Amino acid sequence: MLSVEEARAIVLGRIERLEPESVTLLESLGCVLAADVVSDIAVSPFDNSAMDGYAVQAADTAGATDESPVVLRVVDHIAAGSMPQGPVGPGEASRIMTGAPVPAGADAIVMVEVTESLEEGGSTGGTVAIRRAATHGDHIRKAGEDVALGETVLHAGEVVNAASIGLMAAVGTPMPLVYRRPHVAIVSTGDELVAVDAKPGPGQIRNSNSYSLAAQVIAAGGIPHMLGIARDNEADTRALLGRAPEFDLMVTTGGVSMGDFDVVKTVLEQMGKLDFWKVAMRPGAPQTYGTIGGTPFFGLPGNPTSTMVGFELFVRPAIRKMRGFASLDRPRVWATLAEHAKKKSDRRYFMRGVLNRVEGAEHGAPDYEARLSGRQSSAMLSSMHRAGCLISLPEGLSSVPAGTIVECIRLDQEEGTP
Ligand code: AMP
Ligand code: MG
């Protein structure tokens, strides 16, 4: 049996980054940039006002106070998006709005709060009282202050967030080049499975795995395609597994253990290549990996929590690698195990747990305490649902007493989160 690390090394050694594609700005959210983003303009392209107020020559306002304001002639009214009608000369002011171009001649903006319009609206032709002295450059945003023309604002390899999208919008990149999201085929296997909108008859259960898997694919940034249910016979299984080459990745659940009708492994060997089919872990030792027509294939076990944990450990990092991410691992923290845990010594256990911060932990002791999130049967989803982490209990131990310091994989945090 392979260790978890050996199995992951095989998978990640085979998986390759997908090719880049140009997508719309919003589609790029959360993707990895495949090219630098270079600005086609200066941002801002022109000197503009940071305030609603008056554009003035600062020298004119020297000594202005509430008691002895300076009165200037209003010569223009400049809205954002319009151009000044003319320059500001000595003794003059132009009413100006935030974001509007600063007129020639003006070297400062006086904010409207310290002025008083002496005629209706401070409009052109009237006068304005300035009650505060301005200095050269006040409230003027200089052209190119944020981004210079031709500047690289984002680099290949960076992950696009909301601010990156705003930046790309500003610098003329409406279709950024990012690594493509993989199309992931999902197949459930089992004679006992019925659709989620059906009431199970005798001996039947609902196909929940296709849905939890599709949700995990979406959360990992892939595009799920639920191909349906393969019944437990070779012909049916072959028909659906044979579609693997239409996709970037195929994930199946069930049919990979030692039952008489577990045919996935057999079909994989017939149609493609089997790299491994058993990993020394619990839940879910029968983790299967191979290729069909060159498409990576994950045969996850059927028990609902085994499926999800297998996805988390092997498929999620594979999807991230395809998407061009450098960080493939969820954050891990050390925690003090708050309760006794039993296990078999030949396997790594991934117990479903919750982390709590310990206030004022002793020096050298972990800042977290980990407890089980409920009963640990791999057939139960309820403890997986409550889990904020997987508590990793190493091979070689058969009993892990409370107080042991254990490593926990944070399911509640993204890869690359400090
Ligand atoms: P298998 O690995 O096919 O032997 O399945 C192991 C267990 O998981 C059995 O109890 C199955 O009924 C259950 N199971 C398999 N596939 C699914 C599925 N798609 N949704 C929910 N449970 C499943
Ligand atoms: Mg089955």
Side-chain angles (χ1 to χ4, degrees), residues 19-37:
E19 69 279 10
E21 67 175 359
S22 287
V23 296
T24 62
L25 266 183
L26 287 180
E27 284 169 339
S28 76
L29 182 64
C31 292
V32 177
L33 285 171
D36 292 351
V37 173

Side-chain angles (χ1 to χ4, degrees), residues 188-189 192-193 205-209 253-255 257 262 302-304:
S188 279
T189 73
E192 73 279 32
L193 301 179
I205 58 166
R206 291 196 179 100
N207 169 22
S208 61
N209 288 353
T253 89
S257 46
D262 289 336
N303 275 311

Side-chain angles (χ1 to χ4, degrees), residues 147-315:
V147 177
L149 169 67
E151 184 178 333
T152 300
V153 294
L154 298 168
H155 292 88
E158 281 186 52
V159 180
V160 175
N161 62 23
S164 333
I165 290 194
L167 256 178
M168 291 192 285
V171 305
T173 305
M175 295 288 289
L177 194 67
V178 297
Y179 294 107
R180 177 166 89 65
R181 298 173 182 274
H183 289 271
V184 182
I186 295 170
V187 174
S188 279
T189 73
D191 285 342
E192 73 279 32
L193 301 179
V194 297
V196 291
D197 53 0
K199 191 85 184 253
Q204 296 181 327
I205 58 166
R206 291 196 179 100
N207 169 22
S208 61
N209 288 353
S210 283
Y211 289 85
S212 54
L213 278 175
Q216 284 182 299
V217 168
I218 292 170
I223 304 161
H225 299 265
M226 290 197 256
L227 302 191
I229 299 165
R231 297 305 172 191
D232 289 321
N233 61 72
E234 290 190 20
D236 225 41
T237 305
R238 216 179 285 122
L240 284 184
L241 267 55
R243 292 190 58 191
E246 296 171 35
F247 304 91
D248 298 305
L249 200 75
M250 179 175 269
V251 181
T252 67
T253 89
V256 285
S257 46
M258 302 303 281
D260 293 343
F261 304 98
D262 289 336
V263 296
V264 169
K265 203 150 47 84
T266 313
V267 170
L268 173 62
E269 282 175 310
Q270 289 166 1
M271 303 189 82
K273 183 168 154 288
L274 172 72
D275 283 306
F276 62 78
W277 64 278
K278 216 157 185 205
V279 178
M281 60 182 271
R282 182 174 278 187
Q287 303 284 342
T288 307
Y289 180 72
T291 48
I292 297 176
T295 296
F297 175 91
F298 292 88
L300 303 178
N303 275 311
T305 288
S306 308
T307 307
M308 292 195 71
V309 171
F311 185 98
E312 181 60 37
L313 295 177
F314 304 111
V315 189

Side-chain angles (χ1 to χ4, degrees), residues 315-333:
V315 189
R316 185 174 163 102
I319 289 177
R320 287 182 66 86
K321 184 160 186 203
M322 287 181 151
R323 297 185 60 210
F325 283 92
S327 59
L328 304 181
D329 287 313
R330 296 257 203 198
R332 288 159 192 246
V333 290

